């Protein structure tokens, strides 16, 4: 790939009215022989050379040769069209190498060697049964190699399933493979101009091909050429077999010929005053949309011509001053400059006839202000004099002397002249009885000001080198415009939207009342030094600067001022469009002139630039965006719409291209990259059209490239490239899952370890307090509860003995005394049991129990007697069915507490009977059964719960899920002694609790 640095052909070689760039092997081409030229549907220009196939986008040449594509030879002879209708991804046309290799031009702007070309060829070629030559497609004219139509056939298609076979003496037309007509010759040349067939007979006459060959009528601009004659056929014919364009060349003038109807050609001049033979021009292509003509030479490379829409007019004498400022419309279609030069427009061209018309103006040298009256006369100022000149500038109609030195002029629509002086004075000049009389109207607070325009007939705009003011010439109201503070305004243009101001250094603005809206500058800031704003009749503003000319739609600016859009597209023009210099002049009044025929005249430091806005065809960059190449860390990678990146890459470099034959400044391209952790923001693509993207984390990204394609609000084209950056092994989901699980496990272990450590410390810290509290509880029970209970029990026993000794005591009192005594004894026993349980908790694990043989009948009998009174009161019978000699190994005190609590609970609910039994037939067990209606199911399940250790029980008993301290004590002691509880409900009304012995007590550690 080569970024071109065009060699501009010297002025003697460049025809007047055209820009010309010549490209050779010194500035882009791989070799200087351009054998064929074609343009694809994307706008790329393709060239065949002897050093490869070349693609040109208007800025860069890209060469495809055998180091890049699989071909055996770099010599290409020309292009041949696709044999049929191009659809989908099929090549648009082919480049043919000298080794009979076919390289297809693809829709993505790239190429591909096509080994299956003849498959399509056989499908569309009507004479498929004849022997196939390596290439029978009709070549461009002139052909690089001699044609032999007398012995070989030549094939061409024109779309719509229409094709032609030329083999002398006839040309045969086929439609959908069927013969339509035969046109008899013989012929020396055959071509298609558009879709229509034409041929040249043996006499050199151009014929239209049909059932009968007929004469051709040639019309259009070629008729203005004195050397052309329909009868003599004294023109040379050139033809492009891809675009099917025909060119006629007469007397160093080249015309594009279009077939408007079969047998009728209309011509349009595309180049004049250029000698094709001198530069050995062999191939031709004209881009009508861009107005660019490409000519290929066999030895001198590529020539690109573009007709210029602008023309610079100068007075061509050695002593002429061609640095222009103020000018006015003169007589007829002419411009009169402040130097006294007249430029008269010539019909059909922007070239004017210059003349030194007004010596007086040239003598005064008053350059900057000319105020034109409605009758064509105009005012100029010189020192202390104001002169009114006739429309020719030759005659002085009035000479008005001022007491102060004049500096600037402005004229009302009614004809009154206003004069701004170098002092603070403002004068008016009016006609009184045929004489022009100056009158001092105002003394201002400023001096050295200039009148730069008007907002209305009553309001003038005055500017100094730092401020702009409004002066109402009717009321004398004079105010500074605060919105323009520290700006140097140069000129103004008032429309219905407001007053547009050009400034020196601050660009241009729209002034509406006291508000000024500044507009964004171009990327090179050329618009910062805006001189003049001209409105044409097509809705555009033209803005002159020190560095070229800009075109912009006025509506875009209005929408920007109203905050309806944030982007303004400026189209840029420079010397290549026909200026004598890129530097225009400002600071004058008027700053531009528009003639009656629409011609605009702009002053510059090197001539007057003339153009007709209505005839200018804006060269808009409206083609697609393409990726030319991609590199990852300096290594090439395949170009595709999805790029698979390497993990940890440092830089992705993309070269972007878009076909455009205009000025590169007019391409405004931006890109944005969105993806994980990124929001879309647009960045300008650099002038080399290279996008560099630094390394990215893993994820899927979207690179969007957009380009402005025109002046409309939605005039954009987009290119999207997807970037995929893979994960490393440590960024995969499975690694993250494993890492997360490991961290979670580590956290749990750490927490549990830390918690265990703190619990241990807490237990150690609270152990003394725990034993102290237990000791205090034991002391309190002993001192404050058990001792009074013993005293009460002793007193009740004495009372009861006394009642029983008295024969006259009421039996009810005796019975109540018995029950009270039994209750007291039961309460004392219960208190002792609780005290024993509390003492048990205060003991070390090894001292909590003492296993000895326990007589079960005696223990149950002793415990049952404690409940005899309450049982008698509730009329509940307590039955025992236990062998008096039955013994179990257990702790008698703890087992007594268990039996006591179970009988107590049963007695609370029993209706009539409590049965206590014990046996050791199958297993050693004690059962206590009551008829209290059945224990709740959740309580049964809780009692029957098994535990692997006493520690498990302690952990579970923190939230027992039931009420009643008695059952908690029973469960606790049973687990401690290794007694298994089995509770069940029988017949829905009886509850049986069985205590199974035989399990060794757990080695309690808590």
């Amino acid at each position: 790939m080569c970024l071109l640095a065009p060699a501009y052909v010297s002025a003697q070689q460049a025809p007047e009215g055209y820009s010309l760039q010549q490209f050779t092997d010194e500035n882009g081409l791989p070799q200087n022989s351009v054998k064929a030229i074609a343009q694809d549907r994307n706008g790329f220009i393709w060239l065949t050379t002897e050093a490869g196939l070349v693609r040109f986008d208007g800025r860069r040449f890209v060469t495809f040769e055998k180091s890049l594509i699989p071909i055996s030879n770099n010599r290409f002879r020309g292009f041949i069209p696709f044999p049929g209708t191009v659809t989908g991804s099929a090549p648009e046309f082919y480049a043919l190498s000298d080794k009979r290799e076919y390289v297809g031009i693809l829709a993505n702007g790239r190429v591909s060697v096509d080994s299956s070309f003849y498959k399509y060829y056989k499908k569309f070629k009507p004479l498929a049964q004849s022997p196939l030559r390596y290439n029978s497609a009709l070549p461009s004219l002139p052909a690089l190699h001699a044609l032999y139509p007398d012995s070989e056939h030549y094939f061409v298609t024109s779309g719509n399933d229409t094709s032609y076979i030329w083999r002398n003496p006839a040309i045969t037309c086929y439609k959908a493979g069927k013969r339509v007509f035969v046109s008899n010759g013989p012929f020396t040349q055959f071509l298609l101009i558009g879709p229509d067939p034409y041929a040249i007979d043996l006499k050199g006459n151009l014929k239209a091909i049909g059932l009968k060959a007929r004469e051709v009528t040639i019309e259009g601009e070629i008729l203005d050429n004195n050397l052309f004659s329909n009868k003599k056929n004294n023109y040379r014919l050139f033809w492009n077999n891809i675009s099917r364009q025909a060119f006629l060349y007469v007397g160093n003038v080249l015309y594009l010929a279009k077939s408007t109807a079969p047998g009728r050609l209309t011509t349009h001049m595309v180049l004049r005053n250029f000698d094709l033979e001198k530069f050995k021009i062999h191939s031709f292509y004209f881009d009508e949309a861009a107005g660019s003509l490409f000519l290929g030479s066999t030895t001198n490379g590529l020539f690109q011509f573009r007709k210029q829409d602008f023309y610079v007019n100068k007075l061509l004498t050695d002593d002429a001053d061609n640095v222009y400022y103020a000018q006015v419309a003169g007589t007829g279609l002419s411009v009169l400059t402040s130097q006294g030069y007249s430029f008269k427009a010539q019909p059909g061209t922007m070239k004017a006839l210059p003349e030194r018309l007004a010596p007086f103006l040239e003598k005064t040298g008053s350059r900057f202000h000319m105020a034109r009256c409605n009758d064509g006369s105009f005012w100029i100022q010189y020192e202390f004099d104001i002169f009114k000149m006739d429309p020719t500038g030759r005659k002085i109609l009035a000479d008005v002397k001022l007491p102060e030195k004049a500096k600037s002029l402005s004229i009302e629509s009614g004809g009154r002249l206003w004069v701004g002086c170098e002092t603070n004075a403002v004068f008016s000049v009016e006609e009184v009885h045929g004489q022009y009389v100056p009158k001092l109207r105002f003394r201002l607070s400023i001096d050295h000001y200039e009148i730069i325009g008007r907002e209305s007939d009553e309001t003038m705009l005055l500017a100094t080198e730092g401020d702009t003011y409004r002066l109402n010439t009717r009321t004398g109201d004079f105010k500074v415009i605060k919105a323009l503070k520290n700006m140097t305004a140069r000129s103004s243009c008032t429309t219905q939207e407001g007053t547009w101001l050009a400034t020196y250094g601050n660009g241009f603005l729209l002034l509406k009342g006291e508000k000024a809206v500044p507009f964004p500058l171009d990327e090179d800031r050329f618009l910062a030094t805006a001189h003049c704003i001209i409105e044409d009749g097509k809705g555009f503003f033209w803005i002159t600067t020190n560095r070229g000319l800009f075109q912009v739609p006025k509506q875009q600016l209005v929408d920007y001022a109203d905050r309806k859009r944030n982007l303004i597209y400026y189209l840029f023009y420079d010397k290549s469009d026909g200026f004598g210099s890129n530097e225009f002049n400002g600071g004058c009044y008027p700053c531009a002139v528009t003639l009656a025929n629409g011609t605009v005249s702009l002053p510059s430091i090197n001539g007057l630039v003339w153009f007709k806005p209505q005839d200018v065809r804006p060269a808009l960059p409206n083609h697609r965006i393409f990726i030319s190449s991609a590199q990852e860390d300096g290594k090439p990678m395949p170009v595709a719409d999805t790029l698979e990146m390497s993990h940890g890459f440092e830089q992705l470099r993309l070269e972007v291209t878009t076909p455009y034959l205009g000025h590169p400044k007019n391409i405004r391209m931006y890109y944005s990259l969105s993806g994980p952790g990124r929001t879309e923001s647009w960045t300008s693509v650099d002038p080399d059209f290279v996008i560099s993207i630094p390394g990215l984390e893993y994820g899927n990204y979207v690179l969007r490239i957009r380009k402005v394609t025109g002046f409309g609000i939605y005039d954009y084209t987009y290119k999207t490239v997807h970037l995929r950056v893979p994960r490393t092994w440590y960024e995969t989901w499975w690694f993250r899952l494993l890492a997360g699980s490991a961290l979670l496990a580590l956290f749990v272990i750490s927490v549990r370890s830390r918690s265990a450590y703190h619990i241990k410390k807490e237990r150690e810290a609270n152990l003394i307090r725990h034993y102290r509290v237990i000791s205090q509880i034991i002391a309190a029970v002993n001192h404050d509860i058990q001792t009074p209970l013993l005293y009460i029990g002793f007193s009740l026993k004495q009372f009861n003995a006394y009642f029983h000794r008295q024969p006259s005591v009421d039996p009810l009192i005796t019975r109540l005394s018995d029950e009270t005594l039994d209750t007291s004894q039961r309460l004392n026993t219960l208190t002792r049991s609780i005290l024993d349980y509390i003492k048990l908790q205060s003991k070390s694990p090894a001292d909590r129990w003492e296993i000895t043989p326990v007589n079960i009948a005696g223990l149950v009998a002793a415990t049952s007697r404690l409940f005899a009174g309450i049982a008698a009161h509730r009329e509940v019978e307590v039955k025992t069915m236990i062998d008096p000699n039955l013994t179990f190994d257990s702790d008698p005190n703890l087992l007594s507490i268990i039996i006591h609590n179970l009988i107590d609970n049963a007695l609370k609910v029993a209706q009539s009977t409590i049965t206590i039994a014990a046996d050791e037939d199958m297993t050693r067990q004690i059962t206590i059964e009551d008829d209290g209606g059945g224990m709740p199911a959740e309580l049964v399940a809780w009692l029957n719960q098994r535990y692997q250790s006493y520690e498990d029980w302690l952990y579970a008993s923190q939230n027992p899920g039931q009420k009643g301290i008695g059952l908690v004590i029973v469960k606790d002691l049973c687990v401690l002694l290794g007694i298994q509880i089995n509770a069940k409900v029988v017949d829905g009304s009886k509850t049986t609790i069985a205590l199974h012995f035989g399990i060794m007590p757990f080695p309690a550690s808590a």
Side-chain angles (χ1 to χ4, degrees), residues 169-183:
I171 296 172
T172 306
C173 175
Y174 293 86
K175 182 81 170 180
K178 297 181 179 180
R179 190 169 66 179
V180 178
F181 66 82
V182 177
S183 183

Side-chain angles (χ1 to χ4, degrees), residues 205-415:
N205 297 316
L206 185 63
K207 299 288 186 178
I209 299 302
L211 289 174
K212 291 184 179 181
R214 60 184 184 272
E215 297 293 333
V216 175
T217 301
I218 301 177
E219 304 171 331
E221 296 179 2
I222 199 172
L223 300 180
D224 297 329
N225 192 319
N226 295 329
L227 299 179
F228 172 75
S229 172
N230 265 309
K231 296 180 180 180
K232 295 181 180 180
N233 297 326
N234 59 342
Y235 55 81
R236 290 185 61 189
L237 174 66
F238 303 98
W239 181 62
N240 186 308
N241 69 336
I242 302 300
S243 64
R244 299 201 290 253
Q245 292 176 334
F247 299 88
L248 305 181
Y249 178 65
V250 182
N252 287 355
V253 183
L254 187 68
Y255 301 88
L256 175 68
K258 290 187 176 181
S259 180
T260 55
R264 185 177 295 275
L265 296 180
T266 297
T267 57
H268 170 68
M269 184 182 67
V270 293
L271 182 64
R272 63 186 173 190
N273 300 328
F274 189 76
D275 190 341
L276 301 183
E277 294 180 359
K278 175 182 177 182
F279 293 99
K280 299 181 181 180
I281 302 302
H282 183 86
S283 52
F284 301 76
Y285 175 72
F286 182 61
D287 184 342
E288 295 186 65
S292 288
L293 173 67
F294 292 90
L295 304 180
S297 169
T298 56
T299 57
N300 295 298
L302 177 68
F303 295 83
Q304 179 186 358
F305 295 87
R306 187 160 56 88
K307 193 174 186 304
Q308 296 169 329
D309 292 317
F310 301 83
Y311 188 85
V312 58
N313 285 295
K314 295 187 288 185
L315 183 62
L316 300 178
T317 60
D318 293 339
D319 61 342
D321 180 5
N322 284 302
V323 180
Y324 296 96
Y325 288 92
Q327 52 184 322
V328 293
T331 57
L333 293 176
S334 68
V335 167
L336 184 64
T337 70
S338 58
Q339 296 101 313
Y341 303 163
S342 172
F343 292 87
K344 187 175 183 180
Q346 301 300 296
T349 177
M350 290 293 99
K351 186 176 181 180
L353 181 63
E355 181 183 4
R356 261 191 169 106
L357 189 64
F360 176 74
L361 296 181
E362 190 171 3
K363 181 179 179 181
T364 61
S366 178
R367 288 175 171 256
F368 297 101
H369 283 265
M370 301 174 74
R372 189 174 186 272
C373 303
N374 293 330
D375 62 359
S377 61
F378 59 92
W379 293 89
I380 65 169
Q381 94 279 356
Y382 178 69
E383 299 291 337
F384 293 88
D385 290 275
I386 304 296
F387 298 99
K388 185 175 185 181
M389 311 299 296
D390 77 335
T392 68
R394 292 177 174 177
K395 184 179 181 180
I396 300 174
L397 302 178
D399 179 1
V400 180
K401 295 189 179 297
L402 298 177
E404 301 178 48
K405 191 174 182 179
K407 185 175 177 63
S408 55
L409 306 174
S410 178
I411 196 166
E412 293 179 4
S413 59

Side-chain angles (χ1 to χ4, degrees), residues 514-531:
E514 298 301 320
K515 180 182 177 183
V517 179
F519 295 99
L521 305 178
D522 61 298
E523 292 185 354
D524 293 317
R525 297 184 59 83
F526 293 169
L527 278 166
T529 54
H531 294 318

Side-chain angles (χ1 to χ4, degrees), residues 418 426 441-446 455-462 468-481 514:
W418 292 86
V426 179
R441 300 297 297 271
F442 307 105
R443 288 286 182 186
L444 307 177
S445 58
I446 59 172
E455 285 189 300
S456 65
D457 260 358
E458 292 185 351
T459 306
M460 289 193 304
L461 294 174
L462 283 62
T468 305
Y469 303 82
R470 284 191 178 97
L471 173 62
N472 189 302
T473 56
R474 181 177 59 84
T475 65
D477 187 28
F478 180 66
K479 293 182 179 179
V480 65
I481 302 174
E514 298 301 320

Side-chain angles (χ1 to χ4, degrees), residues 785-982:
I785 299 176
Q786 194 171 28
T787 300
L789 281 176
L790 290 173
Y791 175 75
I792 293 172
F794 177 78
S795 300
L796 290 175
K797 187 174 182 180
Q798 297 301 318
F799 283 125
N800 184 263
Y802 174 76
F803 289 145
H804 279 281
R805 289 195 300 267
Q806 302 298 324
S808 59
V809 175
D810 189 338
L812 177 60
I813 293 175
T814 303
R815 185 169 63 83
L816 290 176
S817 176
D818 291 340
E819 293 176 357
T820 301
L821 179 60
D822 288 342
T823 301
S824 173
Q825 291 175 343
R826 180 172 170 238
L827 181 60
N828 185 47
T829 302
L830 178 61
T831 302
R832 187 173 60 252
S833 297
I834 292 174
L835 185 61
D836 290 342
Y837 181 72
I838 293 174
K839 290 178 180 180
L840 177 67
Q841 301 304 314
S842 66
K843 291 181 179 181
S844 64
D847 297 332
R848 287 186 178 180
W849 61 78
E850 183 179 354
I851 303 301
T852 60
V854 179
N855 184 278
I856 301 303
L859 185 143
V860 170
T863 304
S864 298
R865 282 195 296 271
L866 297 175
F867 297 96
I870 189 65
H873 175 72
R874 296 193 70 248
E875 299 180 351
V876 174
E877 180 183 6
V878 179
K879 296 180 180 180
T880 57
M881 296 181 291
I882 303 173
D883 183 351
N885 298 318
L886 181 64
T887 60
F888 293 162
D889 290 334
S890 187
D891 186 293
N893 294 326
L894 300 183
L895 183 59
S896 173
I897 295 173
I898 294 171
I899 299 299
H900 182 281
N901 280 279
L902 290 176
I903 294 175
D904 183 42
N905 282 339
L907 190 59
K908 291 177 182 177
V909 298
Q911 299 295 320
S912 61
T913 307
I914 297 174
T915 302
I916 304 174
D919 63 68
E920 56 179 352
D921 293 338
M922 298 297 293
T923 59
R924 293 180 297 169
Q925 67 177 13
I926 301 173
T927 61
I928 301 175
E929 183 181 87
D930 66 75
D931 58 356
M935 182 179 288
E938 63 271 15
L939 194 55
V940 171
W942 177 77
L943 281 172
N944 293 339
Q945 179 70 45
R946 268 65 168 175
Y947 297 98
Q948 297 296 323
S949 66
Y950 189 64
E951 288 287 348
D952 290 344
W953 153 250
L954 289 179
Y955 179 78
S957 65
Q958 294 177 7
N959 299 286
Q962 46 77 49
K963 297 179 181 179
I965 186 62
L967 287 179
V968 173
I969 293 174
V970 169
K971 187 70 175 177
D972 183 85
L973 294 179
C974 285
V975 173
L976 183 65
L977 294 175
I979 299 173
Q980 181 62 54
I981 303 177
N982 184 16

